């Protein structure tokens, strides 16, 4: 079946550095991609999304890049802060109801 | 409402028992999702309700799992004859329309002994 970011890597960065979290997806029919942040003991929280007709979208301190050629999605966090420490999930959606999540990446920010 | 709420926050049950998990979505949100998250894993889609349309049950892992959404608002996920592999965090999310951001609840942590 399809897979989205099945690996659960960890990323450790120094406070103030930029973070890049990567995600691979496998279904070229996916047309909507989302990044979620999940802090310990809480539900996922929406960060930013991007549609397949875009390559880049920026938010506050975050940027999502979509490379449809290699089916790759990345989340860039500028000036990473301790409060950014969490597990980050990418998700792909095909239609309105078929959202698939990856296993996540644990980001740890060192002071 | 303040956000999506779920109850109970924790549930410990014995193998073979039935459990009901409740989700109160954000008022006015027509779309409601249930997901399951096993330890250290991503979110597994279970079921999706959108307005008065027939729910998408394609993610339910077995016929022991069922869900209802009464009056287009509150939803209940029922797991019959629970098994140890059902132990996970069950997350509910709602969305205002057929597109856009999903808002997640805090989840129910289910432990089957």
């Amino acid at each position: 079946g399809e897979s989205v970011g099945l690996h659960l890597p960890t990323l450790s960065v120094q406070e103030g550095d930029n973070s890049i979290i990567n995600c691979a997806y496998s279904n070229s029919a996916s047309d909507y991609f989302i990044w979620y942040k999940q802090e310990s003991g809480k539900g996922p929280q929406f960060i930013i999304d991007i549609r397949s007709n875009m390559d880049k979208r920026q938010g506050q301190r975050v940027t999502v890049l979509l490379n449809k050629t290699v089916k790759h999605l990345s989340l860039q966090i500028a000036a990473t802060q301790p409060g950014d420490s969490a597990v980050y999930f990418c998700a792909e959606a095909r239609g309105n109801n078929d959202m698939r999540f990856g296993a996540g990446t644990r980001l740890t920010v060192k002071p | 409402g303040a956000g999506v709420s779920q109850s109970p926050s924790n549930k410990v049950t014995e193998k073979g028992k039935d459990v009901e998990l409740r989700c109160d979505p954000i008022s006015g949100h027509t779309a409601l999702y249930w997901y399951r998250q096993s330890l250290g894993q991503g979110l597994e889609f279970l079921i999706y309700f959108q307005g008065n349309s027939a729910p998408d049950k394609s993610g339910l892992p077995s016929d022991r799992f069922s869900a209802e959404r009464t009056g287009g608002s509150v939803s209940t996920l029922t797991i019959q004859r629970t098994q140890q592999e059902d132990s996970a965090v069950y997350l509910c999310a709602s969305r205002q329309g057929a597109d856009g951001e999903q808002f997640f609840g805090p989840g129910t942590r289910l432990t089957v002994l």
Side-chain angles (χ1 to χ4, degrees), chain B:
Chain B
V4 179
S5 61
Q6 292 186 246
S7 61
S9 56
N10 282 282
K11 176 70 176 177
V12 180
T13 190
E14 294 179 347
K15 178 181 175 181
K17 300 286 189 181
D18 297 351
V19 295
E20 283 189 355
L21 312 180
R22 177 187 170 106
C23 172
D24 284 83
I26 294 173
S27 178
H29 280 195
T30 59
L32 187 147
Y33 299 76
W34 282 99
Y35 296 90
R36 178 169 69 174
Q37 186 175 30
S38 300
L39 185 63
Q41 300 297 312
L43 294 156
E44 176 188 2
F45 167 77
L46 297 177
I47 189 169
Y48 164 66
F49 297 89
Q50 173 61 54
N52 296 322
S53 303
D56 176 359
K57 305 179 182 180
S58 61
L60 295 177
S62 77
D63 58 8
R64 296 186 295 106
F65 288 73
S66 63
E68 292 183 342
R69 189 178 186 194
T70 56
S73 181
V74 172
S75 178
T76 301
L77 177 69
T78 301
I79 308 173
Q80 296 177 309
R81 305 180 302 281
T82 52
Q83 304 295 313
Q84 289 183 331
E85 59 263 29
D86 298 334
S87 296
V89 174
Y90 289 81
L91 288 157
C92 173
S94 71
R95 190 171 65 185
Q96 187 166 23
D99 199 355
E101 180 182 351
Q102 293 184 24
F103 293 84
F104 282 82
T108 294
R109 180 174 297 278
L110 174 66
T111 303
V112 182
L113 301 177

Side-chain angles (χ1 to χ4, degrees), chain A residues 21 32-49 60-62 75 77 83-91 99 101 105, chain B residues 2-4 6 26 35 37 43 91-94 100-107:
Chain A
I21 301 171
Y32 181 53
F33 304 88
I34 312 99
W35 279 101
Y36 285 89
K37 172 186 179 183
Q38 187 174 26
E39 296 174 282
S40 180
K42 297 182 179 179
Q45 180 182 12
F46 174 93
I47 301 174
I48 192 168
D49 60 359
Q60 187 176 19
R61 282 202 307 121
V62 295
L75 176 71
I77 305 174
D84 295 329
S85 294
V87 176
Y88 290 80
F89 293 95
C90 65
M99 184 173 289
F101 287 78
T105 296
Chain B
V4 179
Q6 292 186 246
I26 294 173
Y35 296 90
Q37 186 175 30
L43 294 156
L91 288 157
C92 173
S94 71
E101 180 182 351
Q102 293 184 24
F103 293 84
F104 282 82

Side-chain angles (χ1 to χ4, degrees), chain A residues 18-88:
Chain A
N18 296 334
S19 302
I20 300 177
I21 301 171
N22 296 303
C23 177
Y25 67 95
S26 60
N27 192 330
S28 57
S30 295
D31 57 6
Y32 181 53
F33 304 88
I34 312 99
W35 279 101
Y36 285 89
K37 172 186 179 183
Q38 187 174 26
E39 296 174 282
S40 180
K42 297 182 179 179
Q45 180 182 12
F46 174 93
I47 301 174
I48 192 168
D49 60 359
I50 189 169
R51 296 228 164 257
S52 58
N53 61 350
M54 301 173 67
D55 298 323
K56 178 179 179 180
R57 190 169 186 212
Q58 287 186 294
Q60 187 176 19
R61 282 202 307 121
V62 295
T63 300
V64 55
L65 298 177
L66 175 63
N67 187 329
K68 295 180 287 294
T69 302
V70 295
K71 300 188 184 69
H72 184 268
L73 191 69
S74 70
L75 176 71
Q76 300 179 0
I77 305 174
T80 314
Q81 302 169 1
D84 295 329
S85 294
V87 176
Y88 290 80

Side-chain angles (χ1 to χ4, degrees), chain A residues 8 14 24 58 68 98:
Chain A
L8 181 55
Q14 205 70 35
Q58 287 186 294
K68 295 180 287 294
D98 194 3

